[in-house]
Amino acid sequence: QSALTQPPSASGSPGQSVTISCTGTSSDVGGYNFVSWYQQHPGRAPKLIIYEVTKRPSGVPDRFSGSKSGNTASLTVSGLQSEDEADYFCSSNAGSSSLVFGGGTKLTVL
Amino acid sequence: EVQLVESGGGLVKPGGSLSLSCAASGFTLTGYTMHWVRQTPGRGLEWVSSITSDSAFIYYADSVKGRFAISRDNAENSLYLQMTGLSPDDTAVYYCARGKLMAELEYWGQGALVTVSS
């Protein structure tokens, strides 16, 4: 199973919005509504911030939002804050027996 | 508080074996699907294996199929990963995680580093 495609980097100034894309195929992102997004700070474990394309776990700020169109999912971070600087990974169900991740995007807050 | 703590990582020679454990606390393992995911600097996150709550269904990534074995002991609240035939490509931080089958992984451990090198 091939990894999902994410841009290696993204950036924005404090207060701005930034969107990170996650492109797959009709066999994963396009075929299921089980797209998740994870935030990972250096030296820390990934943290779930979006699941089932658009849902946020309890405690995750509503500045984080998810969407999907066709084979591409997106994570938008609004009102950027310095603590949002981290790596972001997407994942998707890729059938009944496989889970696939994106390569990760390093978000820099300028 | 949900906690997952991996142990058993270390340095192993190519072709060798290693076993990882994941101790769960703050919840009862019974009733939850569990997973192993690994991470390398060059290849990012990679799903490795999943096991359903009653061990009835087990899944592996093609890259580890036939070499790795996932198991669990619900009575001990623990998850395991037995790794054999290790190669340098298996060098990674291995995370255990709790989550839905082939969907979101809601809790992760801190990871255990496995280094395969001669």
Side-chain angles (χ1 to χ4, degrees), chain B residues 49-100:
Chain B
S49 182
S50 300
I51 183 169
T52 54
S53 58
D54 57 359
S55 303
F57 295 94
I58 288 174
Y59 305 94
Y60 298 100
D62 289 343
S63 58
V64 306
K65 200 171 293 182
R67 301 186 299 120
F68 290 13
I70 190 172
S71 62
R72 60 193 293 160
D73 185 335
N74 288 341
E76 293 294 322
N77 238 32
S78 293
L79 175 73
Y80 306 100
L81 185 68
Q82 178 66 39
M83 303 180 290
T84 62
L86 287 163
S87 77
D89 284 347
D90 296 314
T91 294
V93 173
Y94 285 74
Y95 295 100
C96 71
R98 187 188 98 174
K100 292 182 180 176

mmCIF file of all heavy atoms in Angstrom, chain B residues 49-100:
data_model
loop_
_atom_site.group_PDB
_atom_site.id
_atom_site.type_symbol
_atom_site.label_atom_id
_atom_site.label_comp_id
_atom_site.label_asym_id
_atom_site.label_seq_id
_atom_site.Cartn_x
_atom_site.Cartn_y
_atom_site.Cartn_z
ATOM 1 N N SER B 49 0.758 -3.400 12.416
ATOM 2 C CA SER B 49 -0.105 -4.530 12.712
ATOM 3 C C SER B 49 -1.256 -4.103 13.610
ATOM 4 O O SER B 49 -1.136 -3.122 14.355
ATOM 5 C CB SER B 49 0.702 -5.629 13.407
ATOM 6 O OG SER B 49 -0.092 -6.758 13.678
ATOM 7 N N SER B 50 -2.371 -4.843 13.523
ATOM 8 C CA SER B 50 -3.530 -4.590 14.367
ATOM 9 C C SER B 50 -4.096 -5.902 14.862
ATOM 10 O O SER B 50 -4.008 -6.924 14.174
ATOM 11 C CB SER B 50 -4.612 -3.833 13.586
ATOM 12 O OG SER B 50 -4.143 -2.598 13.109
ATOM 13 N N ILE B 51 -4.699 -5.859 16.054
ATOM 14 C CA ILE B 51 -5.320 -7.046 16.635
ATOM 15 C C ILE B 51 -6.617 -6.621 17.301
ATOM 16 O O ILE B 51 -6.655 -5.650 18.067
ATOM 17 C CB ILE B 51 -4.362 -7.731 17.640
ATOM 18 C CG1 ILE B 51 -4.968 -9.014 18.195
ATOM 19 C CG2 ILE B 51 -3.947 -6.778 18.764
ATOM 20 C CD1 ILE B 51 -3.963 -9.875 18.989
ATOM 21 N N THR B 52 -7.699 -7.326 16.991
ATOM 22 C CA THR B 52 -8.986 -6.979 17.578
ATOM 23 C C THR B 52 -9.049 -7.398 19.041
ATOM 24 O O THR B 52 -8.180 -8.123 19.536
ATOM 25 C CB THR B 52 -10.138 -7.612 16.777
ATOM 26 O OG1 THR B 52 -9.923 -9.025 16.673
ATOM 27 C CG2 THR B 52 -10.204 -7.014 15.379
ATOM 28 N N SER B 53 -10.088 -6.950 19.708
ATOM 29 C CA SER B 53 -10.171 -7.086 21.163
ATOM 30 C C SER B 53 -10.068 -8.529 21.645
ATOM 31 O O SER B 53 -9.476 -8.799 22.694
ATOM 32 C CB SER B 53 -11.476 -6.471 21.658
ATOM 33 O OG SER B 53 -12.592 -7.093 21.027
ATOM 34 N N ASP B 54 -10.624 -9.448 20.872
ATOM 35 C CA ASP B 54 -10.627 -10.857 21.285
ATOM 36 C C ASP B 54 -9.589 -11.683 20.519
ATOM 37 O O ASP B 54 -9.619 -12.905 20.576
ATOM 38 C CB ASP B 54 -12.012 -11.455 21.071
ATOM 39 C CG ASP B 54 -12.481 -11.342 19.631
ATOM 40 O OD1 ASP B 54 -11.732 -10.771 18.800
ATOM 41 O OD2 ASP B 54 -13.593 -11.809 19.329
ATOM 42 N N SER B 55 -8.686 -10.980 19.830
ATOM 43 C CA SER B 55 -7.641 -11.630 19.023
ATOM 44 C C SER B 55 -8.195 -12.428 17.846
ATOM 45 O O SER B 55 -7.473 -13.204 17.227
ATOM 46 C CB SER B 55 -6.756 -12.555 19.873
ATOM 47 O OG SER B 55 -6.158 -11.845 20.935
ATOM 48 N N ALA B 56 -9.465 -12.241 17.549
ATOM 49 C CA ALA B 56 -10.081 -13.017 16.468
ATOM 50 C C ALA B 56 -9.567 -12.589 15.099
ATOM 51 O O ALA B 56 -9.495 -13.406 14.180
ATOM 52 C CB ALA B 56 -11.598 -12.862 16.533
ATOM 53 N N PHE B 57 -9.226 -11.318 14.982
ATOM 54 C CA PHE B 57 -8.746 -10.816 13.701
ATOM 55 C C PHE B 57 -7.409 -10.109 13.904
ATOM 56 O O PHE B 57 -7.274 -9.251 14.767
ATOM 57 C CB PHE B 57 -9.760 -9.851 13.073
ATOM 58 C CG PHE B 57 -11.058 -10.521 12.718
ATOM 59 C CD1 PHE B 57 -12.128 -10.495 13.611
ATOM 60 C CD2 PHE B 57 -11.206 -11.199 11.523
ATOM 61 C CE1 PHE B 57 -13.319 -11.120 13.303
ATOM 62 C CE2 PHE B 57 -12.396 -11.833 11.198
ATOM 63 C CZ PHE B 57 -13.452 -11.805 12.087
ATOM 64 N N ILE B 58 -6.454 -10.502 13.072
ATOM 65 C CA ILE B 58 -5.099 -9.953 13.143
ATOM 66 C C ILE B 58 -4.686 -9.549 11.736
ATOM 67 O O ILE B 58 -4.934 -10.291 10.774
ATOM 68 C CB ILE B 58 -4.120 -10.994 13.732
ATOM 69 C CG1 ILE B 58 -4.383 -11.171 15.240
ATOM 70 C CG2 ILE B 58 -2.679 -10.600 13.473
ATOM 71 C CD1 ILE B 58 -3.561 -12.272 15.893
ATOM 72 N N TYR B 59 -4.058 -8.393 11.632
ATOM 73 C CA TYR B 59 -3.658 -7.872 10.333
ATOM 74 C C TYR B 59 -2.213 -7.388 10.397
ATOM 75 O O TYR B 59 -1.753 -6.885 11.422
ATOM 76 C CB TYR B 59 -4.556 -6.702 9.924
ATOM 77 C CG TYR B 59 -6.027 -7.034 9.929
ATOM 78 C CD1 TYR B 59 -6.815 -6.761 11.046
ATOM 79 C CD2 TYR B 59 -6.632 -7.634 8.828
ATOM 80 C CE1 TYR B 59 -8.167 -7.064 11.060
ATOM 81 C CE2 TYR B 59 -7.984 -7.938 8.833
ATOM 82 C CZ TYR B 59 -8.740 -7.661 9.948
ATOM 83 O OH TYR B 59 -10.083 -7.978 9.961
ATOM 84 N N TYR B 60 -1.519 -7.526 9.268
ATOM 85 C CA TYR B 60 -0.131 -7.091 9.165
ATOM 86 C C TYR B 60 0.088 -6.306 7.876
ATOM 87 O O TYR B 60 -0.523 -6.594 6.843
ATOM 88 C CB TYR B 60 0.820 -8.288 9.160
ATOM 89 C CG TYR B 60 0.793 -9.125 10.410
ATOM 90 C CD1 TYR B 60 0.081 -10.322 10.453
ATOM 91 C CD2 TYR B 60 1.468 -8.714 11.549
ATOM 92 C CE1 TYR B 60 0.050 -11.094 11.599
ATOM 93 C CE2 TYR B 60 1.448 -9.484 12.705
ATOM 94 C CZ TYR B 60 0.734 -10.678 12.725
ATOM 95 O OH TYR B 60 0.705 -11.428 13.865
ATOM 96 N N ALA B 61 1.008 -5.356 7.943
ATOM 97 C CA ALA B 61 1.485 -4.713 6.730
ATOM 98 C C ALA B 61 2.286 -5.735 5.930
ATOM 99 O O ALA B 61 2.926 -6.628 6.497
ATOM 100 C CB ALA B 61 2.364 -3.515 7.081
ATOM 101 N N ASP B 62 2.262 -5.586 4.615
ATOM 102 C CA ASP B 62 3.000 -6.524 3.765
ATOM 103 C C ASP B 62 4.477 -6.564 4.123
ATOM 104 O O ASP B 62 5.133 -7.602 4.000
ATOM 105 C CB ASP B 62 2.842 -6.130 2.290
ATOM 106 C CG ASP B 62 1.443 -6.401 1.764
ATOM 107 O OD1 ASP B 62 0.696 -7.170 2.415
ATOM 108 O OD2 ASP B 62 1.092 -5.840 0.711
ATOM 109 N N SER B 63 5.008 -5.437 4.586
ATOM 110 C CA SER B 63 6.437 -5.338 4.862
ATOM 111 C C SER B 63 6.883 -6.187 6.043
ATOM 112 O O SER B 63 8.081 -6.454 6.198
ATOM 113 C CB SER B 63 6.826 -3.874 5.109
ATOM 114 O OG SER B 63 6.080 -3.336 6.185
ATOM 115 N N VAL B 64 5.940 -6.611 6.880
ATOM 116 C CA VAL B 64 6.321 -7.388 8.068
ATOM 117 C C VAL B 64 5.636 -8.755 8.112
ATOM 118 O O VAL B 64 5.939 -9.565 8.994
ATOM 119 C CB VAL B 64 6.013 -6.622 9.372
ATOM 120 C CG1 VAL B 64 6.657 -5.243 9.344
ATOM 121 C CG2 VAL B 64 4.519 -6.524 9.624
ATOM 122 N N LYS B 65 4.745 -9.009 7.181
ATOM 123 C CA LYS B 65 3.988 -10.254 7.182
ATOM 124 C C LYS B 65 4.926 -11.446 7.117
ATOM 125 O O LYS B 65 5.862 -11.478 6.316
ATOM 126 C CB LYS B 65 3.021 -10.262 5.997
ATOM 127 C CG LYS B 65 1.865 -11.211 6.118
ATOM 128 C CD LYS B 65 0.845 -10.975 4.997
ATOM 129 C CE LYS B 65 0.162 -9.642 5.107
ATOM 130 N NZ LYS B 65 -0.856 -9.430 4.048
ATOM 131 N N GLY B 66 4.691 -12.407 7.973
ATOM 132 C CA GLY B 66 5.524 -13.599 8.019
ATOM 133 C C GLY B 66 6.737 -13.462 8.928
ATOM 134 O O GLY B 66 7.404 -14.463 9.228
ATOM 135 N N ARG B 67 7.031 -12.249 9.367
ATOM 136 C CA ARG B 67 8.194 -12.029 10.251
ATOM 137 C C ARG B 67 7.787 -11.521 11.637
ATOM 138 O O ARG B 67 8.459 -11.804 12.626
ATOM 139 C CB ARG B 67 9.154 -11.033 9.615
ATOM 140 C CG ARG B 67 9.701 -11.428 8.261
ATOM 141 C CD ARG B 67 10.773 -10.441 7.782
ATOM 142 N NE ARG B 67 10.253 -9.089 7.628
ATOM 143 C CZ ARG B 67 10.717 -8.028 8.293
ATOM 144 N NH1 ARG B 67 11.695 -8.156 9.154
ATOM 145 N NH2 ARG B 67 10.196 -6.818 8.080
ATOM 146 N N PHE B 68 6.722 -10.759 11.693
ATOM 147 C CA PHE B 68 6.258 -10.181 12.950
ATOM 148 C C PHE B 68 4.984 -10.898 13.400
ATOM 149 O O PHE B 68 4.200 -11.363 12.575
ATOM 150 C CB PHE B 68 5.962 -8.691 12.801
ATOM 151 C CG PHE B 68 7.165 -7.804 12.614
ATOM 152 C CD1 PHE B 68 8.415 -8.321 12.317
ATOM 153 C CD2 PHE B 68 7.029 -6.426 12.732
ATOM 154 C CE1 PHE B 68 9.512 -7.495 12.147
ATOM 155 C CE2 PHE B 68 8.113 -5.582 12.563
ATOM 156 C CZ PHE B 68 9.358 -6.123 12.264
ATOM 157 N N ALA B 69 4.797 -10.950 14.723
ATOM 158 C CA ALA B 69 3.586 -11.541 15.279
ATOM 159 C C ALA B 69 3.061 -10.666 16.410
ATOM 160 O O ALA B 69 3.789 -10.383 17.379
ATOM 161 C CB ALA B 69 3.860 -12.949 15.789
ATOM 162 N N ILE B 70 1.825 -10.229 16.275
ATOM 163 C CA ILE B 70 1.187 -9.417 17.306
ATOM 164 C C ILE B 70 0.359 -10.338 18.194
ATOM 165 O O ILE B 70 -0.218 -11.323 17.720
ATOM 166 C CB ILE B 70 0.299 -8.323 16.665
ATOM 167 C CG1 ILE B 70 -0.178 -7.311 17.708
ATOM 168 C CG2 ILE B 70 -0.879 -8.935 15.915
ATOM 169 C CD1 ILE B 70 -0.905 -6.102 17.082
ATOM 170 N N SER B 71 0.318 -10.018 19.472
ATOM 171 C CA SER B 71 -0.505 -10.785 20.398
ATOM 172 C C SER B 71 -0.887 -9.890 21.566
ATOM 173 O O SER B 71 -0.365 -8.785 21.703
ATOM 174 C CB SER B 71 0.240 -12.028 20.896
ATOM 175 O OG SER B 71 1.407 -11.664 21.608
ATOM 176 N N ARG B 72 -1.782 -10.359 22.383
ATOM 177 C CA ARG B 72 -2.224 -9.580 23.538
ATOM 178 C C ARG B 72 -2.594 -10.502 24.675
ATOM 179 O O ARG B 72 -2.947 -11.681 24.460
ATOM 180 C CB ARG B 72 -3.409 -8.696 23.159
ATOM 181 C CG ARG B 72 -4.633 -9.467 22.670
ATOM 182 C CD ARG B 72 -5.652 -8.531 22.011
ATOM 183 N NE ARG B 72 -6.242 -7.609 22.971
ATOM 184 C CZ ARG B 72 -6.836 -6.474 22.633
ATOM 185 N NH1 ARG B 72 -6.891 -6.092 21.365
ATOM 186 N NH2 ARG B 72 -7.383 -5.697 23.554
ATOM 187 N N ASP B 73 -2.527 -9.982 25.865
ATOM 188 C CA ASP B 73 -2.971 -10.703 27.063
ATOM 189 C C ASP B 73 -3.886 -9.739 27.806
ATOM 190 O O ASP B 73 -3.411 -8.859 28.533
ATOM 191 C CB ASP B 73 -1.771 -11.108 27.919
ATOM 192 C CG ASP B 73 -2.168 -11.968 29.104
ATOM 193 O OD1 ASP B 73 -3.334 -11.877 29.563
ATOM 194 O OD2 ASP B 73 -1.316 -12.733 29.593
ATOM 195 N N ASN B 74 -5.152 -9.887 27.586
ATOM 196 C CA ASN B 74 -6.118 -8.959 28.192
ATOM 197 C C ASN B 74 -6.088 -9.038 29.722
ATOM 198 O O ASN B 74 -6.304 -8.021 30.398
ATOM 199 C CB ASN B 74 -7.526 -9.237 27.665
ATOM 200 C CG ASN B 74 -7.696 -8.797 26.218
ATOM 201 O OD1 ASN B 74 -6.934 -7.994 25.695
ATOM 202 N ND2 ASN B 74 -8.720 -9.345 25.568
ATOM 203 N N ALA B 75 -5.801 -10.205 30.239
ATOM 204 C CA ALA B 75 -5.744 -10.341 31.696
ATOM 205 C C ALA B 75 -4.584 -9.532 32.276
ATOM 206 O O ALA B 75 -4.669 -9.013 33.401
ATOM 207 C CB ALA B 75 -5.610 -11.810 32.072
ATOM 208 N N GLU B 76 -3.488 -9.448 31.515
ATOM 209 C CA GLU B 76 -2.323 -8.680 31.947
ATOM 210 C C GLU B 76 -2.365 -7.243 31.433
ATOM 211 O O GLU B 76 -1.453 -6.461 31.712
ATOM 212 C CB GLU B 76 -1.042 -9.352 31.434
ATOM 213 C CG GLU B 76 -0.756 -10.704 32.066
ATOM 214 C CD GLU B 76 -0.446 -10.567 33.553
ATOM 215 O OE1 GLU B 76 0.232 -9.592 33.942
ATOM 216 O OE2 GLU B 76 -0.885 -11.442 34.336
ATOM 217 N N ASN B 77 -3.419 -6.909 30.690
ATOM 218 C CA ASN B 77 -3.555 -5.568 30.099
ATOM 219 C C ASN B 77 -2.334 -5.202 29.262
ATOM 220 O O ASN B 77 -1.819 -4.072 29.345
ATOM 221 C CB ASN B 77 -3.774 -4.509 31.188
ATOM 222 C CG ASN B 77 -5.070 -3.734 30.982
ATOM 223 O OD1 ASN B 77 -6.051 -4.266 30.474
ATOM 224 N ND2 ASN B 77 -5.075 -2.470 31.356
ATOM 225 N N SER B 78 -1.872 -6.164 28.475
ATOM 226 C CA SER B 78 -0.643 -5.952 27.707
ATOM 227 C C SER B 78 -0.776 -6.380 26.252
ATOM 228 O O SER B 78 -1.511 -7.308 25.918
ATOM 229 C CB SER B 78 0.521 -6.724 28.346
ATOM 230 O OG SER B 78 0.853 -6.189 29.613
ATOM 231 N N LEU B 79 -0.015 -5.684 25.410
ATOM 232 C CA LEU B 79 0.068 -5.946 23.976
ATOM 233 C C LEU B 79 1.512 -6.303 23.661
ATOM 234 O O LEU B 79 2.434 -5.786 24.304
ATOM 235 C CB LEU B 79 -0.352 -4.704 23.198
ATOM 236 C CG LEU B 79 -0.229 -4.726 21.674
ATOM 237 C CD1 LEU B 79 -1.326 -5.620 21.074
ATOM 238 C CD2 LEU B 79 -0.334 -3.303 21.126
ATOM 239 N N TYR B 80 1.713 -7.171 22.674
ATOM 240 C CA TYR B 80 3.067 -7.611 22.351
ATOM 241 C C TYR B 80 3.310 -7.572 20.845
ATOM 242 O O TYR B 80 2.383 -7.635 20.048
ATOM 243 C CB TYR B 80 3.296 -9.042 22.853
ATOM 244 C CG TYR B 80 2.993 -9.220 24.318
ATOM 245 C CD1 TYR B 80 1.782 -9.770 24.731
ATOM 246 C CD2 TYR B 80 3.907 -8.819 25.293
ATOM 247 C CE1 TYR B 80 1.488 -9.918 26.087
ATOM 248 C CE2 TYR B 80 3.623 -8.963 26.641
ATOM 249 C CZ TYR B 80 2.413 -9.509 27.032
ATOM 250 O OH TYR B 80 2.124 -9.642 28.361
ATOM 251 N N LEU B 81 4.602 -7.488 20.499
ATOM 252 C CA LEU B 81 5.003 -7.612 19.095
ATOM 253 C C LEU B 81 6.300 -8.417 19.062
ATOM 254 O O LEU B 81 7.338 -7.945 19.542
ATOM 255 C CB LEU B 81 5.205 -6.251 18.431
ATOM 256 C CG LEU B 81 5.508 -6.304 16.931
ATOM 257 C CD1 LEU B 81 4.272 -6.793 16.157
ATOM 258 C CD2 LEU B 81 5.955 -4.935 16.404
ATOM 259 N N GLN B 82 6.218 -9.613 18.518
ATOM 260 C CA GLN B 82 7.390 -10.462 18.356
ATOM 261 C C GLN B 82 7.925 -10.236 16.955
ATOM 262 O O GLN B 82 7.211 -10.441 15.972
ATOM 263 C CB GLN B 82 7.023 -11.934 18.550
ATOM 264 C CG GLN B 82 8.174 -12.908 18.342
ATOM 265 C CD GLN B 82 9.255 -12.770 19.378
ATOM 266 O OE1 GLN B 82 8.988 -12.550 20.562
ATOM 267 N NE2 GLN B 82 10.513 -12.892 18.958
ATOM 268 N N MET B 83 9.193 -9.831 16.875
ATOM 269 C CA MET B 83 9.797 -9.502 15.593
ATOM 270 C C MET B 83 10.947 -10.461 15.311
ATOM 271 O O MET B 83 11.847 -10.614 16.145
ATOM 272 C CB MET B 83 10.307 -8.059 15.605
ATOM 273 C CG MET B 83 9.230 -7.040 15.933
ATOM 274 S SD MET B 83 9.819 -5.336 15.937
ATOM 275 C CE MET B 83 10.845 -5.367 17.407
ATOM 276 N N THR B 84 10.925 -11.092 14.153
ATOM 277 C CA THR B 84 11.994 -11.996 13.751
ATOM 278 C C THR B 84 12.504 -11.597 12.370
ATOM 279 O O THR B 84 11.871 -10.789 11.683
ATOM 280 C CB THR B 84 11.512 -13.457 13.711
ATOM 281 O OG1 THR B 84 10.474 -13.575 12.737
ATOM 282 C CG2 THR B 84 10.990 -13.898 15.075
ATOM 283 N N GLY B 85 13.640 -12.151 11.983
ATOM 284 C CA GLY B 85 14.186 -11.843 10.663
ATOM 285 C C GLY B 85 14.386 -10.366 10.446
ATOM 286 O O GLY B 85 14.123 -9.845 9.361
ATOM 287 N N LEU B 86 14.872 -9.678 11.472
ATOM 288 C CA LEU B 86 14.974 -8.217 11.398
ATOM 289 C C LEU B 86 16.036 -7.775 10.406
ATOM 290 O O LEU B 86 17.090 -8.415 10.261
ATOM 291 C CB LEU B 86 15.258 -7.647 12.784
ATOM 292 C CG LEU B 86 14.060 -7.684 13.734
ATOM 293 C CD1 LEU B 86 14.484 -7.501 15.185
ATOM 294 C CD2 LEU B 86 13.054 -6.601 13.346
ATOM 295 N N SER B 87 15.745 -6.671 9.729
ATOM 296 C CA SER B 87 16.686 -6.073 8.785
ATOM 297 C C SER B 87 16.857 -4.595 9.147
ATOM 298 O O SER B 87 16.044 -4.043 9.893
ATOM 299 C CB SER B 87 16.170 -6.207 7.357
ATOM 300 O OG SER B 87 15.150 -5.249 7.112
ATOM 301 N N PRO B 88 17.902 -3.948 8.611
ATOM 302 C CA PRO B 88 18.077 -2.514 8.896
ATOM 303 C C PRO B 88 16.844 -1.678 8.555
ATOM 304 O O PRO B 88 16.604 -0.646 9.175
ATOM 305 C CB PRO B 88 19.276 -2.147 8.017
ATOM 306 C CG PRO B 88 20.073 -3.410 7.950
ATOM 307 C CD PRO B 88 19.044 -4.511 7.878
ATOM 308 N N ASP B 89 16.058 -2.120 7.582
ATOM 309 C CA ASP B 89 14.833 -1.399 7.224
ATOM 310 C C ASP B 89 13.801 -1.405 8.334
ATOM 311 O O ASP B 89 12.836 -0.636 8.304
ATOM 312 C CB ASP B 89 14.207 -1.993 5.961
ATOM 313 C CG ASP B 89 14.952 -1.574 4.702
ATOM 314 O OD1 ASP B 89 15.783 -0.641 4.785
ATOM 315 O OD2 ASP B 89 14.722 -2.191 3.647
ATOM 316 N N ASP B 90 13.960 -2.269 9.314
ATOM 317 C CA ASP B 90 13.026 -2.328 10.442
ATOM 318 C C ASP B 90 13.419 -1.365 11.556
ATOM 319 O O ASP B 90 12.695 -1.255 12.554
ATOM 320 C CB ASP B 90 12.955 -3.753 11.003
ATOM 321 C CG ASP B 90 12.393 -4.738 9.994
ATOM 322 O OD1 ASP B 90 11.365 -4.414 9.357
ATOM 323 O OD2 ASP B 90 12.973 -5.827 9.846
ATOM 324 N N THR B 91 14.546 -0.697 11.400
ATOM 325 C CA THR B 91 14.979 0.286 12.387
ATOM 326 C C THR B 91 13.966 1.426 12.458
ATOM 327 O O THR B 91 13.646 2.056 11.447
ATOM 328 C CB THR B 91 16.359 0.853 12.025
ATOM 329 O OG1 THR B 91 17.330 -0.190 12.117
ATOM 330 C CG2 THR B 91 16.748 1.992 12.968
ATOM 331 N N ALA B 92 13.428 1.657 13.651
ATOM 332 C CA ALA B 92 12.366 2.650 13.799
ATOM 333 C C ALA B 92 12.006 2.796 15.267
ATOM 334 O O ALA B 92 12.410 1.981 16.103
ATOM 335 C CB ALA B 92 11.120 2.240 13.009
ATOM 336 N N VAL B 93 11.233 3.829 15.547
ATOM 337 C CA VAL B 93 10.563 3.917 16.842
ATOM 338 C C VAL B 93 9.219 3.220 16.675
ATOM 339 O O VAL B 93 8.461 3.530 15.744
ATOM 340 C CB VAL B 93 10.353 5.381 17.263
ATOM 341 C CG1 VAL B 93 9.508 5.454 18.531
ATOM 342 C CG2 VAL B 93 11.697 6.072 17.477
ATOM 343 N N TYR B 94 8.948 2.277 17.553
ATOM 344 C CA TYR B 94 7.707 1.505 17.485
ATOM 345 C C TYR B 94 6.741 2.011 18.556
ATOM 346 O O TYR B 94 7.080 2.047 19.739
ATOM 347 C CB TYR B 94 7.998 0.012 17.688
ATOM 348 C CG TYR B 94 8.618 -0.621 16.461
ATOM 349 C CD1 TYR B 94 9.941 -0.370 16.139
ATOM 350 C CD2 TYR B 94 7.869 -1.442 15.629
ATOM 351 C CE1 TYR B 94 10.513 -0.926 15.005
ATOM 352 C CE2 TYR B 94 8.423 -2.005 14.494
ATOM 353 C CZ TYR B 94 9.748 -1.737 14.187
ATOM 354 O OH TYR B 94 10.303 -2.291 13.055
ATOM 355 N N TYR B 95 5.560 2.410 18.099
ATOM 356 C CA TYR B 95 4.514 2.888 19.001
ATOM 357 C C TYR B 95 3.404 1.847 19.103
ATOM 358 O O TYR B 95 3.000 1.262 18.084
ATOM 359 C CB TYR B 95 3.885 4.169 18.470
ATOM 360 C CG TYR B 95 4.776 5.374 18.406
ATOM 361 C CD1 TYR B 95 5.373 5.766 17.220
ATOM 362 C CD2 TYR B 95 4.989 6.156 19.546
ATOM 363 C CE1 TYR B 95 6.178 6.902 17.158
ATOM 364 C CE2 TYR B 95 5.783 7.295 19.493
ATOM 365 C CZ TYR B 95 6.378 7.657 18.298
ATOM 366 O OH TYR B 95 7.160 8.779 18.243
ATOM 367 N N CYS B 96 2.875 1.660 20.306
ATOM 368 C CA CYS B 96 1.615 0.939 20.409
ATOM 369 C C CYS B 96 0.516 1.987 20.525
ATOM 370 O O CYS B 96 0.746 3.105 21.013
ATOM 371 C CB CYS B 96 1.581 -0.028 21.590
ATOM 372 S SG CYS B 96 1.495 0.708 23.224
ATOM 373 N N ALA B 97 -0.643 1.659 20.045
ATOM 374 C CA ALA B 97 -1.728 2.623 20.015
ATOM 375 C C ALA B 97 -3.065 1.921 20.193
ATOM 376 O O ALA B 97 -3.224 0.759 19.800
ATOM 377 C CB ALA B 97 -1.724 3.398 18.695
ATOM 378 N N ARG B 98 -4.003 2.650 20.781
ATOM 379 C CA ARG B 98 -5.373 2.162 20.924
ATOM 380 C C ARG B 98 -6.228 2.906 19.916
ATOM 381 O O ARG B 98 -6.132 4.133 19.792
ATOM 382 C CB ARG B 98 -5.894 2.436 22.329
ATOM 383 C CG ARG B 98 -7.240 1.819 22.637
ATOM 384 C CD ARG B 98 -7.781 2.289 23.982
ATOM 385 N NE ARG B 98 -8.731 3.379 23.817
ATOM 386 C CZ ARG B 98 -9.437 3.909 24.820
ATOM 387 N NH1 ARG B 98 -9.256 3.486 26.060
ATOM 388 N NH2 ARG B 98 -10.293 4.893 24.590
ATOM 389 N N GLY B 99 -7.066 2.180 19.208
ATOM 390 C CA GLY B 99 -7.923 2.867 18.264
ATOM 391 C C GLY B 99 -8.837 1.924 17.530
ATOM 392 O O GLY B 99 -8.760 0.715 17.693
ATOM 393 N N LYS B 100 -9.702 2.507 16.715
ATOM 394 C CA LYS B 100 -10.633 1.697 15.949
ATOM 395 C C LYS B 100 -9.885 0.947 14.855
ATOM 396 O O LYS B 100 -8.818 1.355 14.414
ATOM 397 C CB LYS B 100 -11.714 2.585 15.339
ATOM 398 C CG LYS B 100 -12.648 3.204 16.364
ATOM 399 C CD LYS B 100 -13.725 4.018 15.672
ATOM 400 C CE LYS B 100 -14.666 4.639 16.696
ATOM 401 N NZ LYS B 100 -15.669 5.512 16.041
#
